[in-house]
Amino acid sequence: MSRISAIDSRPPVLGPSPSGTPEGCELLGLPPAAFIERVRDAGGGELHARKLLRRLYRANEAERRAGVETLAAGIPGLPNRLLARLRDWRAETPRVARRQVSAADPGTVKLLLESADGATFETVLFRNRRAAGRWSLCVSTQAGCRMACPFCATGRAGLKRNLTAAEIAGQLLVAREEVPAGERIANVVAMGMGEPLDNLPATLDAIEVLNSSDCLGVAADRIVISTCGHVPGLERLARHPVPVGLAVSLHASTDALRDRLVPLNRRYPLARLLATLKRHPLKTGKWICFEYILLKGVNDSDRDAAALGPLLEGLRALVQIIPYNPIEGAGFEPPTAAGAREFAARVRDSGVPVALRRSRGPDIDAACGQLRAADSAPD
Ligand code: SAH
């Protein structure tokens, strides 16, 4: 316990987080209903809007860079008034400032993206091992993070700003360029930089864009939002029309320990978090994934393992153990492989299903908690 007692014990400040300003004329990231509204205002109809939407999201990066007007040129029957407005509209994705492919695992690619205002954030692409031709994308929702979990590199530099919905959903458009023809990004997890529910409006819009068949067409249950326990955000997410999957960073089974490992716990303690999750609408056959980072000597005792089953009783829960990926200067140690397996077995004995996650891409700092923008200046 001593090694984490020095951590700042103030509860996180949770005023509005600084937002990126979505350009008035940016089309990417607009939920379909808002997009249709915009096209209507410009003199087009719903059918025109849907055709334009499909063209925008099916185009590749080079085609999109040619401009919205050029993209629309191939769509017959667009009214002149609408065509005239297209000149002012944009569909811009962040530029790739750096691209790293894991030498140990060529199916893992990390991209450092940079927006026009210089904000940088990372997106990580993984080839699925079990489903041929399918990839998963781990997206960032904020440039930085203000949750200050002491074991995570992203939180070190604090929050620069929220990403816009265009920047969140746009990560798929950029990453898609890495995927061979005939293969596709089938899963999107918001487990990159940032706390998705601390950037709620943009995250909710991005979910719609990711899911809509006119836009990116990712199945709702293949989109997963991971949160460190932002209760108001969870309540809002529960009312969102797209039933996405949920992952919750649990990491401890008592408030005393969780207060230190996940500072947001001081604002939304375990009892309140778990009560909120019990009310969360889950589709039949679905469960909530509880992530549990394993830190040697901190949260890996037999008692910690035994507490998890009773704590999660009444929830359709799966515990996912993530052995700690070392972050320089954080002062934690990873468990041994045998220690992690042993812990997982004890969690299972406590009455809850468990999986042990093997992190991919540690050689390029692409594993959980290793994403950061500060040191990732373009080469
Ligand atoms: N803010 C969200 C999503 C971002 S992190 C959340 O907290 O859920 C995705 C997962 O990686 C979280 O479970 C996070 O706690 C975990 N993680 C962070 N740093 C890590 C590290 N150094 N080693 C292993 N997992 C880490």
Side-chain angles (χ1 to χ4, degrees):
M1 208 63 152
S2 60
R3 72 169 69 101
I4 49 174
S5 58
I7 295 160
D8 189 350
S9 61
R10 288 170 301 180
V13 183
L14 279 192
S17 41
S19 286
T21 25
E23 293 282 345
C25 52
E26 176 61 62
L27 296 180
L28 296 177
L30 280 178
F35 186 90
I36 292 166
E37 209 39 52
R38 181 171 298 195
V39 169
R40 278 221 176 94
D41 287 347
E46 176 169 345
L47 204 64
H48 301 134
R50 291 201 187 274
K51 282 184 178 162
L52 194 53
L53 208 47
R54 283 199 286 267
R55 186 81 192 94
L56 270 182
Y57 285 95
R58 282 182 200 168
N60 63 29
E61 286 288 279
E63 290 169 323
R64 237 185 328 273
R65 264 195 296 273
V68 178
E69 212 185 346
T70 313
L71 274 179
I75 307 175
L78 295 185
N80 286 337
R81 215 180 115 207
L82 174 61
L83 285 172
R85 287 291 293 283
L86 294 181
R87 243 161 268 154
D88 307 326
W89 291 356
R90 294 207 323 251
E92 279 175 12
T93 48
R95 87 179 177 94
V96 179
R98 186 165 67 182
R99 174 180 181 275
Q100 289 170 280
V101 181
S102 165
D105 175 4
T108 300
V109 183
K110 182 169 85 163
L111 302 175
L112 174 71
L113 304 180
E114 184 179 6
S115 288
D117 69 347
T120 52
F121 48 97
E122 296 180 316
T123 198
V124 188
L125 190 60
F126 304 95
R127 186 197 293 275
N128 289 6
R129 294 223 170 88
R130 291 193 201 100
R134 292 179 175 221
W135 295 70
S136 294
L137 184 68
C138 178
V139 297
S140 294
T141 52
Q142 298 180 309
C145 186
R146 55 177 180 169
M147 297 296 121
C149 303
F151 48 78
C152 177
T154 304
R156 288 290 175 85
L159 176 64
K160 177 147 198 260
R161 69 162 169 83
N162 284 331
L163 299 185
T164 63
E167 289 166 332
I168 300 170
Q171 291 169 52
L172 189 143
L173 294 172
V174 179
R176 198 165 69 181
E177 305 272 307
E178 302 284 334
V179 172
E183 304 190 5
R184 65 191 182 89
I185 298 174
N187 301 278
V188 175
V189 296
M191 293 184 189
M193 292 165 64
E195 165 53 45
L197 302 184
D198 188 36
N199 179 15
L200 201 56
T203 296
L204 296 180
D205 283 357
I207 290 173
E208 279 196 61
V209 169
L210 286 164
N211 176 247
S212 162
S213 55
D214 287 332
C215 304
L216 294 167
V218 181
D221 57 359
R222 293 186 177 274
I223 301 172
V224 173
I225 298 298
S226 179
T227 176
C228 62
H230 192 290
V231 164
L234 280 165
E235 286 166 347
R236 179 65 191 81
L237 187 66
R239 300 195 302 275
H240 192 268
V242 183
V244 292
L246 200 57
V248 177
S249 295
L250 185 64
H251 305 333
S253 52
T254 61
D255 282 322
L257 183 56
R258 197 164 189 272
D259 278 353
R260 289 158 183 265
L261 295 180
V262 184
L264 192 65
N265 193 70
R266 297 175 208 145
R267 193 163 285 258
Y268 308 115
L270 277 169
R272 188 156 170 216
L273 173 61
L274 295 171
T276 306
L277 293 172
K278 279 185 184 142
R279 290 192 299 268
H280 195 83
L282 269 186
K283 286 175 92 181
T284 322
K286 296 289 160 197
W287 54 81
I288 298 174
C289 174
F290 287 90
E291 294 153 292
Y292 193 99
I293 185 174
L294 207 54
L295 304 161
K296 192 173 174 184
V298 174
N299 66 352
D300 65 344
S301 72
D302 291 354
R303 230 168 114 186
D304 291 315
L308 284 171
L311 184 73
L312 300 176
E313 212 183 305
L315 280 154
R316 294 217 299 273
L318 169 78
V319 173
Q320 186 154 54
I321 313 270
I322 317 174
Y324 168 60
N325 295 307
I327 303 304
E328 216 181 287
F332 294 108
E333 278 172 55
T336 61
R341 279 196 303 272
E342 173 80 357
F343 186 82
R346 289 189 191 276
V347 174
R348 188 172 296 115
D349 289 346
S350 80
V352 58
V354 65
L356 187 57
R357 189 197 285 178
R358 197 177 74 80
S359 280
R360 293 176 63 177
D363 61 328
I364 53 168
D365 283 351
C368 288
Q370 294 184 319
L371 303 186
R372 70 172 104 201
D375 298 347
S376 306
D379 291 330

